[in-house]
Amino acid sequence: MEAEWRNHGSGSGFSEEVEESYRYAPTFEELMAARKLTVEDLKEHISGPVLSVIVHVVILAILSTVIVFRPPDEGTEIEVKEIIVKVKPLEKKIEPPKPEDPKPEDTDMDVERPADVTESDVVAPEEEIVTDSVVQDVTVPNILNVCPSDSSLRMPALYGGRTTGGRRDGLVAHGGSRHTERGVIKGLLWLKDHQNSDGSWGEARPDDHPALTGLALLAFLAHGETPSSAEFGQTVLKGIKKLIEFLGPDASGVIGGYRHGIVMYALSEAYTLTKIPMLEDVMNKGMTKLIQGMNGAGAFNYGYGVEGLGPGHGGKTRDDLSVSGWNYQALKAAFSAGCSSEGLEAALDKGISVGLQKTFFGPQTGSFCYAVDNGKQQNLGSPTMTAAGVLCLQLMGAGKCSQARDGVKYLEQPKYATFDFNNPSDINWSFYNWYYETQVFFQAYGGKGGKWRAWNKMFSRELLRHQKTDGRWETPGSMERENLPGLNMPIYSTALGCLMLEVYYRYLPTFQVAEERHLASAKNGEGMDDLGLE
């Protein structure tokens, strides 16, 4: 075909140049071949990029599928699960800490070892109180044969407030609080830390140690502390042991009506709360001596017996209500403990009907006197001695007699019904006075009513405000400071301060209970509450 085309061209009459150009022009086959090469080249050059694009697209598609697929599933699962598993039910289950709220009852309260504070400082938070002192071991003497009993202790109703539950109920019913209870614990901790190694309390004048030890022990017993108490058990046991040593085998080792009366008061309460077997014998011997020390006027003096103190003290006969007050309280404590000393009931009757209602009471003033020398009343109208006389009548079951009622009215006068550290007025024995007055008003008003609330608010606030942060108190009374040298003064003040703040549960309002019932309780166990002690 190529030859034909060329031959045809040669005879066509074209010029030589044209013919020459045709001669070298590509044939149809050559053009097709060139076209074929071009397509092949295109395929060769384009196939690589196209494949690369396709591969990348596929990879991107796979990756996008994975990325898009996972999050929704995972996100959905997490979101749904988190919403379904609600935390509110768990919060309700964590609520059980509420039962721990009643801790103030042990508060009690809620208690702390402290550094000094000024008198204007307010009460520190309850959390400051701690109980981390070391318990000391005590070797119990033969006379103090402690025999644990499996049976629950039985106490006269008078002491029903000294259990954990009793303290809590008393605080709630009579206006106490976690603050007052914290003050008690701080005071007891201070007393514990300042007990001598032999179990006594006191620094100067060893003759005063029996009375100071008795007062300190009374403060622990009023809180229901016994030798089995976790924090104060060894302190109480050592104190009981020392009081027994002070008395001696025949109960004649403690000299003086003040000292012996306070020692027997503490030991009688100790026997009531502990029922330590051999302690009963000690109590009976000591109370026999006390009963024999009462004189014909139904009263007591510095030295037991009818004779008084002789020259310088008004002659042969002298009756002292301050001394008698502690002996009357000891008689009541021994009576409630079931003491079997001969003449106990007769001594109680004589103390009420002769000593308190006749010897010391002045009907013209409605008050009690301090002393009677040779039949003549001295210092009639003393608020401190009036409070002592009224309290003893109340504790011995005669709180409704005319002398007790008149005495309460006398004490209610604004100039006497005061509790002010900065202005103790003419009361030279302020802590001594406030100790008696606080109990008188509690007993007279049954721990209720506007008059009790007024006194309670005043005394508890002032007492707590003036408690040092280490737990002790120091009396503002000038005579107390002069007569109690060294550490004896804060020991005395702290013991009385604790006893005042324990008023809410120390003794139930006894004027509502007939004396015959107490007698039955002491002798036969009838009319007694079954109470367990920690």
Side-chain angles (χ1 to χ4, degrees), residues 1 27 146 165 171 210 233 310 319 325 343 381 463 475 508 510:
M1 186 175 200
T27 63
V146 182
L171 290 168
D319 313 305
L463 200 57
T475 175
L508 301 183
T510 56

Side-chain angles (χ1 to χ4, degrees), residues 81-100:
K81 295 295 180 183
E82 290 292 337
I83 293 173
I84 291 176
V85 181
K86 297 179 181 178
V87 261
K88 287 186 178 179
L90 292 177
E91 290 176 357
K92 289 182 180 177
K93 290 182 181 178
I94 295 174
E95 277 182 358
K98 281 189 175 178
E100 295 179 4

Side-chain angles (χ1 to χ4, degrees), residues 85 183 287 302-303 347 367 402 448 452 466:
V85 181
M287 288 308 300
Y302 291 126
S367 65
S402 61
K448 296 179 181 179
W452 166 247
H466 291 85

Side-chain angles (χ1 to χ4, degrees), residues 169-180:
D169 294 344
L171 290 168
V172 172
H174 304 306
S177 68
R178 60 189 178 90
H179 297 296
T180 61

Side-chain angles (χ1 to χ4, degrees), residues 34-312:
R35 183 180 178 187
K36 184 177 181 181
L37 289 172
T38 302
V39 172
E40 293 291 338
D41 287 342
L42 287 173
K43 289 179 180 180
E44 181 179 343
H45 291 287
I46 292 175
S47 59
V50 169
L51 287 173
S52 175
V53 169
I54 293 172
V55 169
H56 281 82
V57 169
V58 170
I59 291 171
L60 289 173
I62 293 171
L63 290 175
S64 66
T65 302
V66 172
I67 293 170
V68 172
F69 174 77
R70 286 182 182 174
D73 290 346
E74 291 182 3
T76 302
E77 287 181 2
I78 292 171
E79 186 178 358
V80 171
K81 295 295 180 183
E82 290 292 337
I83 293 173
I84 291 176
V85 181
K86 297 179 181 178
V87 261
K88 287 186 178 179
L90 292 177
E91 290 176 357
K92 289 182 180 177
K93 290 182 181 178
I94 295 174
E95 277 182 358
K98 281 189 175 178
E100 295 179 4
D101 290 341
K103 275 188 178 177
E105 74 190 39
D106 292 341
T107 149
D108 21 273
M109 295 265 185
D110 42 66
V111 227
E112 75 214 57
R113 273 185 211 282
D116 272 344
V117 70
T118 61
E119 293 183 346
S120 59
D121 288 341
V122 295
V123 182
E126 184 176 355
E127 296 76 44
E128 291 180 4
I129 303 178
V130 298
T131 55
D132 55 3
S133 56
V134 179
V135 176
Q136 301 175 357
D137 293 330
V138 176
T139 302
V140 182
N142 293 333
I143 196 169
L144 191 60
N145 183 18
V146 182
C147 299
S149 173
D150 293 332
S151 62
S152 60
L153 296 178
R154 298 177 67 84
M155 295 189 299
L158 180 66
Y159 300 107
R162 301 192 188 189
T163 63
T164 300
R167 289 196 302 272
R168 180 185 62 245
D169 294 344
L171 290 168
V172 172
H174 304 306
S177 68
R178 60 189 178 90
H179 297 296
T180 61
E181 190 68 355
R182 185 177 60 84
V184 171
I185 298 299
K186 289 177 65 177
L188 294 181
L189 285 169
W190 187 88
L191 288 172
K192 175 185 175 181
D193 290 342
H194 291 81
Q195 185 181 30
N196 296 326
S197 59
D198 65 354
S200 67
W201 275 272
E203 183 180 51
R205 293 206 319 217
D207 287 347
D208 290 342
H209 291 191
L212 291 171
T213 302
L215 288 176
L217 186 59
L218 282 169
F220 286 99
L221 295 172
H223 198 254
E225 305 298 339
T226 69
S228 63
S229 300
E231 172 67 19
F232 301 115
Q234 288 295 314
T235 301
V236 172
L237 183 59
K238 289 169 66 178
I240 293 173
K241 171 183 177 291
K242 191 59 183 178
L243 288 183
I244 294 172
E245 291 179 359
F246 280 139
L247 279 176
D250 59 354
S252 62
V254 178
I255 307 300
Y258 265 123
R259 302 183 186 100
H260 189 90
I262 293 173
V263 167
M264 293 317 304
Y265 188 8
L267 286 177
S268 297
E269 284 206 354
Y271 175 67
T272 301
L273 295 179
T274 66
K275 298 303 181 186
I276 294 173
M278 295 307 297
L279 190 52
E280 182 179 14
D281 183 58
V282 174
M283 174 185 67
N284 290 334
K285 287 181 179 179
M287 288 308 300
T288 296
K289 180 185 177 183
L290 184 149
I291 293 166
Q292 293 171 351
M294 177 181 276
N295 61 27
F300 298 86
N301 197 14
Y302 291 126
Y304 284 151
V306 178
E307 291 298 317
L309 291 179

